[in-house]
Amino acid sequence: MDKDKIQHKELAAGRWAEMPLALQMLNIGSEISRANRWKSKGNQNQVERAVARALELIDLTIDAQRGKHSLKEFARMRETVCDYYLGENIYNSTGEIIQRDFDMFMPGTKKNI
């Protein structure tokens, strides 16, 4: 992670690692929600900015969860986000499917952790 381009400096300094995984996922989901809103408005510049923030948070999560959880799922999540929002969408994802993966961490849902 390029230290000069970090947008979430306070979180990168260690606060992120102290958060529960569910809260980390909710924060990433917020950026994905922003990306979906901008994508529906056709504003690719704003999509890319929201995705950059989401990717930064995913990378912080990978660092924070190393040794606690399988990193394969986090790496796949990162790859799917990049593919859908910035790539050719070879996985045939949708913004709704990606968002749903994060929404499961919302309090009150059956599958929240």
Side-chain angles (χ1 to χ4, degrees):
M1 193 178 310
D2 186 350
K3 300 287 185 197
D4 294 332
K5 295 183 180 181
I6 293 176
Q7 296 184 49
H8 300 95
K9 293 182 188 336
E10 187 177 319
L11 295 175
R15 201 172 119 227
W16 189 258
E18 297 170 3
M19 288 183 184
L21 177 59
L23 188 54
Q24 292 173 354
M25 293 293 105
L26 286 171
N27 278 277
I28 297 167
S30 292
E31 295 297 348
I32 295 299
S33 178
R34 288 181 187 94
N36 286 334
R37 259 193 325 272
W38 287 115
K39 191 169 181 77
S40 72
K41 294 179 180 183
N43 189 329
Q44 186 61 24
N45 181 50
Q46 292 294 346
V47 169
E48 291 173 11
R49 292 179 68 185
V51 168
R53 291 188 302 270
L55 293 175
E56 181 179 273
L57 295 178
I58 292 169
D59 290 343
L60 289 172
T61 299
I62 289 171
D63 288 344
Q65 298 302 323
R66 195 172 307 279
K68 297 178 189 176
H69 298 280
S70 171
L71 300 181
K72 179 174 58 175
E73 288 83 6
F74 297 111
R76 185 167 292 133
M77 171 199 321
R78 190 182 202 294
E79 183 177 2
T80 303
V81 168
C82 287
D83 176 56
Y84 177 69
Y85 295 101
L86 307 174
E88 298 176 18
N89 197 18
I90 60 174
Y91 300 127
N92 296 314
S93 298
T94 66
E96 293 77 23
I97 290 171
I98 294 171
Q99 185 68 52
R100 186 174 50 208
D101 290 342
F102 293 100
D103 287 349
M104 73 166 51
F105 293 92
M106 289 290 289
T109 60
K110 290 183 179 183
K111 293 185 178 183
N112 72 354
I113 296 179

